Amino acid sequence: MQRYFVPAGQWSDDAVRITGSDARHLAAVLRARPGERIIAADGLGRAAVAVITRVSPDEVVAGLERPIAKTGEPAVRVTVAQGLPKGDKMETVIQKGTEVGAVRFIPFISRRTVVQLDGRKEEKRLERWSRIAKEAAEQAHRGVVPEVAPIATWRQLLNGTGNYAAAFFCYEKEEALAFRRHLAELKSRHPAPDVLLIVGPEGGFAEEEAREAVAAGCLPVSLGRRILRTETAALVALSCIMYEFGEIGGS
Ligand code: SAM
């Protein structure tokens, strides 16, 4: 059954109105017919099975049949702050991070970032990244489309660490293997915390940045004795958090 995110404003008490590229995909590609079923989600945690009643090239209307209680939303809410990587690695982080359960992505610029984006380029990248998050959320049966925030400066990122129950700074030079202990301690305080995960770009972090992150209240954590690619690190750290909070292995 095809699954679509339909903005909350396009829901009524008994139907949803699908428009734009999703409507065109249903009408022209899938040749949907009245009577067929789809799953609609509003991106805010509400989902329902709906029966198509009307199909036109730019709009498909479906009557709400029954709500879907379980959506794939984790209790622990992880924001992945990813040092802007080269090429299409950010797309990999967003796609796979959405599948694993991240709720937000913050691309950021730091000392060793090599990618330069002007205003127009940044706007187009953000549109593409948001589309990737939506498609990955539909495929993963998420109840919410993860947000892709505008590109932040290092200082802006550190200024926001106080909004989280914990901010983990994935630091390739961190010797102690204590991530599991930190997560267990966090879980004992917060069963459903907001967590920030900071991952550096290909060039990693300067020592000064590590000091600034700790001063901003971040906990430096090692992800093991091997150096991971930047696009691997966030997924490993995210999976550890999901596992520790029972989203993967149960409690
Ligand atoms: N240029 C660095 C070096 O050669 O040591 C490697 C940086 S790594 C490719 C990119 C980012 O992934 C790091 O800044 C860190 O956030 C994360 N990372 C990779 N391996 C890690 C590890 N073993 N422990 C903690 N973080 C790691």
Side-chain angles (χ1 to χ4, degrees), residues 141-217:
H141 291 192
R142 294 282 302 265
V144 169
V145 178
E147 174 204 351
V148 180
I151 297 174
T153 63
W154 175 242
R155 183 40 52 200
Q156 285 167 337
L157 180 64
L158 293 189
N159 288 344
T161 54
N163 301 324
Y164 302 87
F168 295 112
F169 171 69
C170 298
Y171 189 34
E172 58 275 22
K173 294 201 173 83
E174 174 60 36
E175 298 279 324
L177 294 177
F179 192 23
R180 186 174 186 185
R181 177 165 54 80
H182 290 320
L183 288 176
E185 195 277 325
L186 173 63
K187 193 170 76 169
S188 68
R189 285 186 291 121
H190 291 274
D194 275 287
V195 176
L196 177 66
L197 205 47
I198 300 177
V199 173
E202 293 89 344
F205 288 112
E207 306 257 334
E208 178 62 18
E209 288 173 319
R211 281 194 290 277
E212 290 163 350
V214 171

Side-chain angles (χ1 to χ4, degrees), residues 170-172 199-205 221-224 226-228 230 233:
C170 298
Y171 189 34
E172 58 275 22
V199 173
E202 293 89 344
F205 288 112
V221 291
S222 167
L223 297 177
R226 291 146 303 280
I227 293 294
L228 309 175
T230 185

Side-chain angles (χ1 to χ4, degrees), residues 19-85:
T19 58
S21 58
D22 286 343
R24 287 190 288 279
H25 180 253
L26 265 169
V29 175
L30 300 180
R31 299 194 174 288
R33 293 281 173 273
E36 291 176 9
R37 283 175 173 73
I38 59 158
I39 290 175
D42 70 356
L44 303 172
R46 182 183 180 192
V49 174
V51 182
I52 294 174
T53 54
R54 194 172 72 234
V55 180
S56 61
D58 291 320
E59 182 181 83
V60 172
V61 178
L64 297 179
E65 182 177 63
R66 60 180 169 80
I68 295 175
K70 186 179 80 64
T71 62
E73 286 313 301
V76 57
R77 297 171 45 78
V78 182
T79 292
V80 172
Q82 172 67 50
L84 201 55

